[in-house]
Amino acid sequence: MTNYTMPTRPGFRSADFYLETNTGIYQSPVNKAVQRMERSGALWQAVYTLPAMKRADAMVWKAFFLKLKGRVHTFSAYDPECAQPRGVATGTPLVKGAGQTGNTLLIDGCTASTFGWLMAGDYFSCEGQLHQLTQDADTNGSGETTLVFEPPRRSSPADNAAIVTDKPSCKMIMLDDSTGSWPSDAMGVYQEKTFTAMEVIS
């Protein structure tokens, strides 16, 4: 399958980009005590709304929707309000050491001794997996820092794998096959359009 890039113009009127966790809940029928459990399979979800636009801009998006062929192909989805981090994110950040799993990742190659290299809420991606920091990441004198994030890694990244902080993304598919539906009015203006998508795990 092919992965496509979303058009950049015009920008979204609104966007809701969020992580849907996968939890298990069991309530005892005897005393109503509740047991809770985190399960793997948390997925990023997105609800994007495009503004009304003239044909010249709408056709670029229309072509994008056509290329996806409903739920066949994927596209690189990201949070448009957080395409760039609040932290400085300078240097050439790379994974330091193979075999890392869970919710932390040791990296190096960052600008040394930097407070707020990345900040809580910033996104990054590594080998196709998208994460969001849950605490600030400051670098030491060797340009190293440990990223703490959600969701946990689904697989261990390779040593020296690149850390992407500029428009980090994940692969998503549309939630239905009718995305190409897009009414226009008598003035040739295509109306606001909302489409939803979810992350796919390959």
Side-chain angles (χ1 to χ4, degrees):
M1 303 302 172
T2 304
N3 187 66
Y4 292 101
T5 300
M6 288 192 293
T8 57
R9 295 181 56 190
F12 295 111
R13 185 179 182 279
S14 66
D16 185 7
F17 195 95
Y18 63 96
L19 183 68
E20 184 173 279
T21 54
N22 185 24
T23 58
I25 296 179
Y26 171 76
Q27 186 175 46
S28 169
V30 178
N31 61 8
K32 300 300 182 181
V34 177
Q35 294 181 333
R36 303 173 304 281
M37 177 180 67
E38 179 186 7
R39 299 185 293 206
S40 60
L43 295 174
W44 292 104
Q45 310 273 346
V47 182
Y48 295 118
T49 299
L50 293 166
M53 63 186 82
K54 288 286 192 176
R55 180 183 178 188
D57 289 325
M59 289 303 101
V60 176
W61 279 96
K62 190 85 168 181
F64 166 72
F65 295 136
L66 288 173
K67 288 190 294 186
L68 292 177
K69 297 185 177 181
R71 292 169 287 183
V72 173
H73 298 296
T74 61
F75 66 98
S76 296
Y78 59 93
D79 187 339
E81 289 301 314
C82 304
Q84 282 74 43
R86 294 190 300 139
V88 296
T90 49
T92 307
L94 303 171
V95 173
K96 184 177 183 181
Q100 300 189 63
T101 59
N103 295 80
T104 63
L105 191 63
L106 175 63
I107 66 172
D108 60 9
C110 313
T111 301
S113 304
T114 303
F115 179 77
W117 186 82
L118 281 183
M119 302 179 72
D122 286 341
Y123 292 89
F124 75 94
S125 61
C126 180
E127 294 189 338
Q129 295 184 45
L130 180 65
H131 306 285
Q132 190 169 25
L133 266 66
T134 55
Q135 66 182 50
D136 293 351
D138 305 326
T139 62
N140 62 20
S142 299
E144 300 172 346
T145 188
T146 297
L147 305 178
V148 183
F149 53 82
E150 291 290 344
R153 296 287 305 178
R154 292 190 287 266
S155 60
S156 173
D159 183 31
N160 288 325
I163 301 297
V164 179
T165 59
D166 182 21
K167 199 180 286 186
S169 64
C170 63
K171 290 183 180 179
M172 286 192 177
I173 57 170
M174 297 296 181
L175 287 188
D176 60 62
D177 288 328
S178 61
T179 308
S181 174
W182 197 353
S184 59
D185 63 20
M187 303 298 294
V189 176
Y190 285 77
Q191 304 304 297
E192 282 189 7
K193 178 177 176 60
T194 298
F195 63 96
T196 57
M198 65 177 291
E199 183 183 10
V200 290
I201 302 175
S202 56

